[in-house]
Amino acid sequence: MSTSAARQIRDLVYDTLADEGRAPSVAELARLTGLNRAAVQNLLDELAQAHTLVPTTDGDAIRMAHPFSAAPMAFVVTPADGRDDRRWWGGCAWDSFGISAALHLDVRIDTACPWCGSHVSYTSGPTTPPPGDLAVRFPRPAAEWWNDVVGTCTMIRTFCSREHAEQWTAAHDPGAGYIASATTVWELAGPWYGDRLTPDFQPHDRATNQAILERVGLTGPFWRLP
Ligand SMILES: [Zn+2]
Ligand SMILES: [Zn+2]
């Protein structure tokens, strides 16, 4: 990260998403940092260029800071302890596990199978894998994820079974994508997102992330990072 001011903005965005399930506004970041709004906007642009944050289409607000989403998406993540009133939007199946990993928290994840529409609800945590029958479909190869990262996350969905993921693919996008077990995606989310909220977090370089993919068995051209 290029400057300590950018780092401060990044950390405030992550802390707000983690604590409150929403992203701070430019005005809020200006108040919290003592910078003017134009300076905050420039730093948000810089963080977006580095893929640290994902801006909204108009660029004046935060859309995602992986694994968190500032707007409703297909997954609702709830602390497994029902007395805790926090909630988060999981941008995708992977990010939902990522929120659990980043917060070091057992969660319940609620979504719907895109093929049959069934409500799918499962619990998982840093040391608790999701049920083994669930499947996750990735719509496009790793090299293309950031061409449209919100669109990519939107399509990384949990199906109630591998069969339903295969049927959805045959009907909507024959021959495309990759179907993994939810357990594999959960294994991936731990090392990918587990350090995201630590004070000394440093963005992973490409080789580190490629090694994480390889370690959980996601290898070959589909999984080659750009
Ligand atoms: Zn289904
Ligand atoms: Zn995602």
Side-chain angles (χ1 to χ4, degrees), residues 64 66-68 73 90-96 138 149-150 152-156 193:
M64 299 184 80
H66 286 83
F68 298 101
M73 295 181 83
C92 66
W94 181 8
D95 296 339
S96 304
F138 290 80
V149 74
V150 174
T152 299
C153 281
T154 300
M155 296 302 292
I156 302 176
Y193 284 127

Side-chain angles (χ1 to χ4, degrees), residues 6 24 28 60-61 103-105 113 115 127 135 144 184 190 224:
E28 192 176 354
D60 61 342
L103 293 168
H104 308 289
L105 182 72
C113 173
W115 179 246
T127 58
E144 298 172 17
T184 296
R224 194 162 301 135

Side-chain angles (χ1 to χ4, degrees), residues 37-63:
R37 293 188 194 189
V40 169
Q41 183 64 56
N42 286 339
L43 292 165
L44 289 175
D45 294 347
E46 186 185 314
L47 290 162
Q49 285 290 327
H51 293 177
T52 301
L53 306 172
V54 182
T56 56
T57 307
D58 293 315
D60 61 342
I62 293 145
R63 177 66 179 78

Side-chain angles (χ1 to χ4, degrees), residues 3-10 12 26-44:
T3 64
S4 60
R7 176 65 189 221
Q8 190 188 6
I9 294 285
R10 180 263 178 211
L12 285 166
V26 171
E28 192 176 354
L29 290 167
R31 173 173 54 78
L32 292 169
T33 57
L35 297 169
N36 64 44
R37 293 188 194 189
V40 169
Q41 183 64 56
N42 286 339
L43 292 165
L44 289 175

Side-chain angles (χ1 to χ4, degrees), residues 81-206:
D81 176 349
R83 292 166 299 186
D84 187 322
D85 65 357
R86 292 176 295 169
R87 299 287 184 278
W88 301 272
W89 296 111
C92 66
W94 181 8
D95 296 339
S96 304
F97 293 132
I99 289 169
S100 166
L103 293 168
H104 308 289
L105 182 72
D106 288 338
V107 299
R108 192 183 80 231
I109 296 167
D110 287 279
T111 188
C113 173
W115 179 246
C116 69
S118 297
H119 175 210
V120 184
S121 182
Y122 44 104
T123 53
S124 82
T127 58
T128 309
D133 49 345
L134 300 175
V136 174
R137 181 178 180 274
F138 290 80
R140 52 178 74 106
E144 298 172 17
W145 288 343
W146 279 88
N147 295 352
D148 171 14
V149 74
V150 174
T152 299
C153 281
T154 300
M155 296 302 292
I156 302 176
R157 296 286 299 271
T158 299
F159 292 76
C160 51
S161 65
R162 173 172 287 273
E163 187 189 10
H164 280 194
E166 286 169 352
Q167 287 172 331
W168 188 95
T169 302
H172 296 283
D173 203 6
Y178 184 103
I179 300 167
S181 75
T183 311
T184 296
V185 179
W186 169 80
E187 285 178 333
L188 172 63
W192 195 281
Y193 284 127
D195 58 353
R196 203 53 72 108
L197 295 172
T198 56
D200 58 349
F201 171 75
Q202 289 300 322
H204 298 172
D205 61 18
R206 183 188 171 285

